[in-house]
């Protein structure tokens, strides 16, 4: 293993890791706001990416507009899931099991829809900055990866500001901590939950759109992204966007270094093994905040 | 008494006659329905009695299938050895994996089992000295009982469904036994159960082991019936299918898994000209059941049955009893 190879692995790890982080931030945002773990977060990414691809290639929208529509469609799907199902189930006192099954059902439906409408092939989007690369200590990183890293970090910090310094963000937090209390102060609890799901969908779609120039998107990608995003969120303690970012990068690095040192076939075995171990042995994540329930 | 037995007799007759009147391809699907129902029972027990969403059933299904495939083709052992070795390996894996992960609950456990399913599939893929990877293992001998070869769908139909009914009876006895009472206590009031000395983790691990056993037996039957196994048969989608069987049928009714299994094997046949459309329908069905009919199709049928009885002669009988 040369040092160039290690640096190359680290760069790849950080890039993939921040993709997982974006998915994980979405999982964390929805859990923070509704106490529901969204088992279909990765499907938001696939949907956002596929819609962007279609708008760009079939309808020939300008790239920036296609991206905006793709990202917003993620938010719309998120809001619809809340309005159509979650609201009804919350009102009927559904248990956690039902929400797990609901989101699994939505995941199956969305992945099957992608398979049915666009087929088995993988799709890619053009990279920001084309094929240009930066050279870092003899290792290569694509301009798009640098964009991805920058945007992911920006979103992480932006969310932190959103939750602590905006009225809507504070209202979302209040709703998740004490729904009845929030309602008495005049917060529309249902709307906050819809907005939370929309935010989760938006983050998921952005993750998918940013990742698609680097990895090809097909109907099977959703489950992978969900699990890796969930691992990132768990590592970060689940309710903390900053934590999910740290968790995602950690996971990405472990994965990249295990590819270099062991074998690419065992990549998933290692990263999912770590996920299970973390859930069992570090229930509050690496940053050690209390706040997770149910394990 | 006769009134209570009559429906079962009718079901038994229908069950016996079905393969004679149905076309061969439908009988073939019914065999798969029986095999899937066995694996579905396991998922259904965990879901209905422990509140556990198990997405790892495809792993045990795969272990059973590969044990049968490897032992009968590579080593030339008799069929029963494959079934037994697969069952033992599955139960041992369930013990060693179940013990640590079953301390997790709800979402975390569901995602842990999903991760297990992907790990299992990756290992099946990587260990190609054992599984032949995507090429698969072919030429698995047909199952024999004595000198009687189960080499047609019709013959295998009787075996698969007999095993399925045995598993159903086993599951039913379990839920009606002392253990069943503990399970119910654990599901409905875990704190009270603990205070009465129920060891929740050991109880959940035992049900997980039983579930794995069902999965493995189903896998062995599948290997013998299709005579070919490859990694694609044991991917995450299969785990989703087994969960779907449990949820669609209704996890609290023991026979729910049978309805679920019939639904997911028969329906695609009639939608096959629409390509993969049935998968979308499965997802939508799962959503609808979870949102609108949490007791599943079996629960819905039971409700309908009760309502029919109430409209029928039942109330009169009650009045007569009071008069006496």
């Amino acid at each position: 293993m040369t040092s160039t190879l290690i640096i190359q692995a680290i760069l790849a790890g950080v890039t993939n890791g921040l993709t997982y982080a974006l998915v994980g931030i979405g999982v964390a945002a929805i859990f923070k706001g509704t106490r529901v773990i969204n088992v279909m977060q990765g499907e938001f990414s696939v949907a956002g990416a596929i819609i962007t691809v279609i708008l760009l290639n079939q309808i020939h929208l300008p790239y920036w507009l296609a991206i905006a529509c793709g990202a917003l469609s993620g938010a719309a799907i998120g809001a619809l899931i809340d309005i159509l199902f979650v609201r009804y189930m919350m009102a009927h006192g559904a248990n956690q099991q039902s929400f797990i099954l609901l989101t699994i059902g939505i995941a199956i439906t969305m992945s099957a829809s992608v398979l049915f409408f666009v087929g088995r092939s993988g799709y890619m989007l053009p990279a920001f900055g084309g094929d240009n690369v930066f050279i870092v200590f003899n290792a290569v990183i694509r301009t798009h990866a640098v964009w991805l890293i920058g945007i992911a970090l920006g979103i992480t910090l932006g969310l932190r500001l959103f939750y602590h310094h905006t009225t809507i963000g504070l209202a979302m937090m209040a709703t998740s901590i004490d729904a009845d209390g929030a309602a008495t102060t005049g917060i529309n609890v249902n709307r906050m939950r819809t907005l939370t799901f929309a935010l989760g969908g938006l983050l998921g779609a952005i993750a998918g759109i940013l990742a698609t120039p680097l990895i090809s998107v097909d109907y099977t990608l959703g489950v992978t992204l969900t699990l890796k995003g969930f691992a990132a969120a768990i590592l970060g303690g689940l309710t903390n966007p900053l934590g999910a970012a740290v968790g995602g990068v950690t996971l990405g690095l472990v994965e990249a270094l295990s590819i270099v040192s062991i074998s690419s076939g065992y990549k998933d075995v290692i990263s999912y093994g770590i996920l299970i171990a973390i859930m069992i042995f570090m229930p509050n994540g690496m940053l050690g905040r209390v706040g997770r329930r149910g394990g | 008494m006769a009134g209570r037995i009559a429906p079962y007799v009718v079901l038994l007759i229908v069950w016996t006659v079905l393969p004679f009147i149905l076309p061969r391809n439908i009988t073939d699907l019914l065999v798969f329905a029986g095999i899937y129902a066995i694996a579905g029972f396991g998922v259904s027990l965990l879901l209905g009695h422990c509140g556990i969403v198990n997405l790892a059933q495809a792993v045990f299904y795969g272990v059973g299938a590969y044990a049968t495939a490897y032992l009968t083709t590579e080593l030339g052992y008799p069929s029963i050895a494959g079934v037994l070795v697969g069952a033992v390996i599955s139960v041992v894996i369930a013990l060693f994996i179940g013990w640590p992960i079953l301390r997790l609950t709800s979402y975390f456990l569901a995602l842990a089992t999903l991760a297990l399913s992907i790990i299992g599939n990756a290992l099946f893929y990587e260990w190609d000295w054992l599984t032949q990877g995507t090429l698969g293992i072919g030429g698995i001998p047909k199952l024999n009982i004595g000198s009687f070869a189960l080499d047609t769908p019709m013959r295998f139909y009787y075996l698969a469904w007999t095993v399925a009914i045995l598993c159903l009876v086993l599951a039913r006895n379990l839920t009606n036994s002392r253990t069943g009472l503990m399970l119910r206590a654990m599901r409905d009031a875990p704190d009270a159960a603990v205070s009465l000395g129920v060891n929740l983790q050991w109880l959940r691990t035992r049900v997980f082991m039983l579930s794995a056993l069902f999965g493995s037996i189903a896998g062995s039957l599948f290997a013998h019936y299709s005579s070919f196994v490859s990694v694609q048969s044991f991917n995450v989608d299969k785990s989703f299918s087994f969960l779907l069987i449990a949820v669609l049928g209704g996890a609290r009714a023991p026979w729910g898994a049978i309805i679920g299994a019939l639904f997911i094997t028969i329906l695609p046949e009639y939608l096959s000209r629409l390509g993969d459309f049935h998968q979308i329908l499965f997802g939508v069905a799962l959503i609808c059941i979870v949102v609108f009919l949490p007791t599943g199709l079996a629960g819905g049928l039971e409700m309908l049955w009760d309502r029919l009885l109430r409209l029928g002669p039942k109330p009169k009988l009650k009045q007569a009893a009071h008069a006496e």
Side-chain angles (χ1 to χ4, degrees), chain A residues 55-138:
Chain A
L55 291 178
L56 188 68
N57 294 344
Q58 309 284 326
I59 306 185
H60 305 293
L61 289 184
Y63 195 21
W64 64 270
L65 190 58
I67 288 178
C69 292
L72 288 177
S73 63
I77 296 170
L80 270 181
I81 287 171
D82 178 64
I83 293 168
L84 290 178
F85 309 117
V86 176
R87 186 172 293 180
Y88 177 88
M89 287 169 68
M90 288 263 178
H92 286 71
N95 53 15
Q96 287 196 329
Q97 233 183 74
S98 309
F99 287 109
I100 303 174
L101 295 172
L102 171 75
T103 51
I104 290 175
I106 298 172
I108 295 176
T109 311
M110 287 179 64
S111 141
S113 304
V114 172
L115 174 63
F116 186 70
F117 291 110
V118 303
R120 286 173 194 277
S121 40
Y123 294 85
M124 292 188 97
L125 286 167
F128 303 164
D131 289 330
N132 295 342
V133 293
F134 289 105
I135 309 285
V136 185
F137 299 112
N138 287 334

Side-chain angles (χ1 to χ4, degrees), chain A residues 152-171:
Chain A
L153 292 177
I155 287 176
T156 311
L157 295 175
L159 263 185
R160 203 172 166 75
L161 294 177
F162 172 75
Y163 277 122
H164 289 279
H165 297 284
T166 66
T167 317
I168 296 183
L170 287 169

Side-chain angles (χ1 to χ4, degrees), chain A residues 35-37 39 85 88-89 96-102 104-106 108-109 112-113 115-117 120 223 226-227 230 234 238 263 265-266 268-269 272-273 275-276 279-280 292-295, chain B residues 47 50-53 55 100-101 103-108 110-112 114-116 118-119 122-123 126-127 236-237 240 243-244 247 274-277 279-280 282-284 286-287 290-292:
Chain A
R35 297 279 148 189
V36 170
I37 293 277
V39 189
F85 309 117
Y88 177 88
M89 287 169 68
Q96 287 196 329
Q97 233 183 74
S98 309
F99 287 109
I100 303 174
L101 295 172
L102 171 75
I104 290 175
I106 298 172
I108 295 176
T109 311
S113 304
L115 174 63
F116 186 70
F117 291 110
R120 286 173 194 277
V223 176
T226 301
L227 272 177
F230 180 74
I234 285 270
L238 204 53
S263 122
Y266 289 101
D268 284 349
V269 176
Y272 296 135
L275 164 64
I276 295 174
M279 284 199 278
I280 294 170
R292 196 188 114 192
R293 282 191 288 190
Chain B
L47 183 64
C50 306
I52 293 169
V53 174
L55 284 167
I101 73 161
R103 70 179 65 214
L104 299 171
T105 55
S106 76
Y107 299 111
F108 305 97
L111 284 153
L114 180 57
L116 276 182
I118 295 180
I119 291 177
L123 291 181
E126 287 297 315
W127 291 348
V236 181
D237 286 346
F240 280 132
L243 181 70
L244 203 63
V247 180
L274 295 175
D276 292 313
F277 187 71
Q279 302 230 350
I280 300 180
F282 287 168
V284 173
L286 179 56
I287 297 170
V290 170
V291 176
F292 300 113

Side-chain angles (χ1 to χ4, degrees), chain B residues 79-123:
Chain B
S79 308
I80 189 72
V83 178
L84 287 179
V85 169
V88 169
I89 295 176
S90 288
V91 170
V92 169
I93 292 177
L95 173 64
F96 282 99
I97 289 180
W99 184 256
I101 73 161
L102 288 168
R103 70 179 65 214
L104 299 171
T105 55
S106 76
Y107 299 111
F108 305 97
L109 186 50
L111 284 153
T113 57
L114 180 57
L116 276 182
S117 192
I118 295 180
I119 291 177
N121 197 241
L123 291 181

Side-chain angles (χ1 to χ4, degrees), chain B residues 298-321:
Chain B
L301 285 176
E302 272 174 3
M303 223 154 51
L304 202 69
W305 182 246
D306 279 352
R307 212 166 282 174
L308 285 178
L309 282 185
R310 229 175 292 150
L311 292 177
K314 205 67 181 267
K316 276 184 203 159
L317 274 177
K318 250 186 196 159
Q319 277 175 0

Side-chain angles (χ1 to χ4, degrees), chain B residues 42-67:
Chain B
V43 181
S44 168
L45 268 178
L46 280 170
L47 183 64
H49 295 279
C50 306
I52 293 169
V53 174
N54 176 14
L55 284 167
Q57 188 70 327
V59 175
F60 301 111
Y61 187 67
V63 168
Y66 280 125

Side-chain angles (χ1 to χ4, degrees), chain B residues 96-164:
Chain B
F96 282 99
I97 289 180
W99 184 256
I101 73 161
L102 288 168
R103 70 179 65 214
L104 299 171
T105 55
S106 76
Y107 299 111
F108 305 97
L109 186 50
L111 284 153
T113 57
L114 180 57
L116 276 182
S117 192
I118 295 180
I119 291 177
N121 197 241
L123 291 181
F124 289 149
Y125 188 84
E126 287 297 315
W127 291 348
D128 51 3
W129 54 271
L130 176 73
T131 65
Q132 310 290 335
T134 42
L135 289 176
I137 303 177
I140 301 163
K142 293 292 174 190
L143 209 54
N144 292 303
I145 293 178
S147 58
F148 186 73
L150 299 168
D151 52 0
T152 64
M154 195 202 270
R155 289 175 179 181
F156 211 92
Y157 166 90
Y158 291 108
L159 175 77
W161 280 97
T162 308
V163 176

